[in-house]
Amino acid sequence: MAAFGSLFRRQSAPLLGLDVSSSSVKLVELGRDASGKLVLERCAIEPLERGWITDGNVEKFDEVAEAVRRVVRKSGTRTKHAALALPPSAVITKKIILPGGLSEPELEIQVESEANQYIPFSLDEVSLDFCVMGPANNATGDVEVLIAASRKEKVQDRQGLAEAAGLKAMILDVESFASRLAASRLIEQLPGQGQDAVVALFEVGAATTSMQVLRNDELIYERDQAFGGAQLTQLIVRQYGFSAEEAETKKRSGDLPDDYGTGVLKPFVASIAQEIARALQFFFTSTPYNRVDYVLLAGGSASLPGLTSAVTRQTSFACSLINPFEGMEMAGGIREKKVRREAPSYLTSCGLAMRRFQQ
């Protein structure tokens, strides 16, 4: 069977979580101390120029590959195995029910047969993988199996980026799966270990904000919306006449005119809070739910000043900024102040790195 390269399987050797998004490459490496506690060994971010990756497609392969090489060098890691991810839009997933007790080869035959019904491409054109999730709820003796498939060229692009940086892609995950894995660890730290809590997780990226609503480790709703930090860059360009590259650099460094906070940033933060409130309303009208217990923000634009309080005011739900490294030990070379500032950006890469320890 053409496989992702262990999409769902555990990789026990040292592993880099490598998140290649439209705006940057993020790297995380985790370990465990003698007591079993997670340790942040290394992390690094390398920005990408606009247009190098669009809608998950690598448009400028050589430039992105060089950025991956830079982030590996910057991190100082010697680990050569990596976990990468594709955006959900590039992956077709489907849960199916199969008889229990099948051998691996028998499962592969059944999965390929079922996949033909759900995948609008020839199986020769896709990479396919599956995972037995556990016993089926309503069918004694059967098991629930998750199928995932993506076009081979999309898989090969991610593998090629790893190889160009001297790495081997051992795992190719789905970005939303990886972010959920990292978030689940934090949800367990909520009151009552997060049991029965309805948690809305928003990842505010450059061009897209993804929303996932979780309850007891189950995804109950998801939605992507076309707004993100790139819109703030465009506002800076229009307000001050900078080029797009200058505006992005100044946004990252904070080197902006005195009226930026009140004239540009504050209205933009208010507009993001309104978009998040609107997304929650879509959730309420599309499901039996009429409230959430927690709103968690992640992503490169989630740490904008005043955003969490603006979301709380707009939605009336408790909102907090997510730190995927919360409760971890920090290795000696980690600059804790810098990491805390950038932590929301690392949610997906942290989840990818956690695949090393996933059973």
Side-chain angles (χ1 to χ4, degrees):
M1 175 177 287
F4 274 168
S6 300
L7 172 62
F8 297 110
R9 289 136 176 93
R10 183 181 175 187
Q11 169 68 31
S12 57
L15 188 72
L16 301 175
L18 202 60
D19 174 26
V20 184
S21 70
S22 61
S23 60
S24 60
V25 181
K26 278 85 67 177
L27 178 151
V28 170
E29 184 174 0
L30 301 177
R32 285 197 192 276
D33 63 14
S35 68
K37 191 172 186 178
L38 286 173
V39 179
L40 177 59
E41 302 281 1
R42 290 172 183 83
C43 63
I45 292 180
E46 184 66 26
L48 300 179
E49 288 189 18
R50 189 177 178 186
W52 286 5
I53 293 183
T54 305
D55 297 329
N57 298 314
V58 181
E59 306 290 352
K60 299 285 187 180
F61 183 89
D62 291 344
E63 288 85 346
V64 177
E66 179 56 37
V68 175
R69 284 192 285 269
R70 285 197 299 272
V71 83
V72 170
R73 285 197 300 269
K74 187 187 292 186
S75 73
T77 185
R78 295 184 178 180
T79 296
K80 296 300 181 184
H81 291 170
L84 294 93
L86 285 165
S89 60
V91 186
I92 298 168
T93 58
K94 180 70 179 178
K95 287 183 180 178
I96 61 172
I97 304 297
L98 292 178
L102 296 178
S103 67
E104 189 84 0
E106 289 170 333
L107 275 171
E108 290 187 4
I109 292 168
Q110 290 284 334
V111 164
E112 287 194 1
S113 174
E114 292 283 338
N116 272 315
Q117 301 177 45
Y118 304 111
I119 298 169
F121 315 110
S122 163
L123 289 187
D124 293 337
E125 299 174 19
V126 301
S127 291
L128 184 66
D129 204 359
F130 68 92
C131 173
V132 177
M133 305 294 288
N137 288 332
N138 302 317
T140 304
D142 290 348
V143 292
E144 188 176 63
V145 177
L146 179 63
I147 301 175
S150 181
R151 298 295 291 264
K152 282 184 177 177
E153 61 264 26
K154 295 187 181 295
V155 173
Q156 289 163 355
D157 270 352
R158 290 302 193 273
Q159 291 173 329
L161 289 175
E163 289 166 6
L167 305 174
K168 183 175 183 181
M170 303 301 292
I171 291 172
L172 191 55
D173 208 331
V174 185
E175 289 171 358
S176 55
F177 289 14
S179 60
R180 287 205 297 273
L181 178 60
S184 67
R185 178 181 156 272
L186 303 174
I187 292 170
E188 288 174 1
Q189 298 174 25
L190 294 172
Q193 297 183 312
Q195 281 295 308
D196 296 327
V198 179
V199 179
L201 170 65
F202 288 89
E203 291 183 81
V204 188
T208 304
T209 293
S210 66
M211 172 191 185
Q212 301 183 75
V213 184
L214 313 170
R215 183 175 182 268
N216 295 336
D217 276 340
E218 288 289 325
L219 176 70
I220 57 177
Y221 180 84
E222 61 182 334
R223 177 186 173 88
D224 285 350
Q225 289 182 272
F227 67 89
Q231 292 175 349
L232 178 57
T233 305
Q234 291 162 11
L235 290 172
I236 293 170
V237 168
R238 287 203 294 270
Q239 183 78 6
Y240 303 113
F242 300 133
S243 69
E245 290 73 20
E246 283 178 315
E248 186 64 33
T249 301
K250 288 177 180 294
K251 183 178 80 172
R252 290 175 186 274
S253 67
D255 179 23
L256 285 157
D258 291 342
D259 66 346
Y260 165 70
T262 54
V264 179
L265 180 60
K266 191 173 179 180
F268 179 73
V269 164
S271 71
I272 286 193
Q274 288 169 359
E275 293 287 356
I276 287 173
R278 191 172 293 125
L280 286 167
Q281 285 303 317
F282 275 118
F283 166 60
F284 299 142
T285 56
S286 306
T287 70
Y289 295 88
N290 58 15
R291 61 168 289 110
V292 296
D293 296 296
Y294 302 94
V295 177
L296 302 180
L297 302 185
S301 299
S303 53
L304 289 172
L307 181 56
T308 54
S309 55
V311 170
T312 299
R313 284 195 303 273
Q314 191 70 230
T315 66
S316 302
F317 299 122
C319 177
S320 57
L321 197 58
I322 209 166
N323 177 357
F325 308 127
E326 188 75 37
M328 293 187 188
E329 295 292 328
M330 300 285 157
I334 296 294
R335 295 163 59 189
E336 288 194 43
K337 188 175 179 181
K338 183 174 187 290
V339 166
R340 275 198 301 273
R341 188 170 66 247
E342 298 174 341
S345 301
Y346 283 110
L347 184 68
T348 299
S349 50
C350 183
L352 290 169
M354 286 173 64
R355 288 294 305 275
R356 176 184 176 186
F357 305 108
Q358 189 181 19
Q359 298 295 332

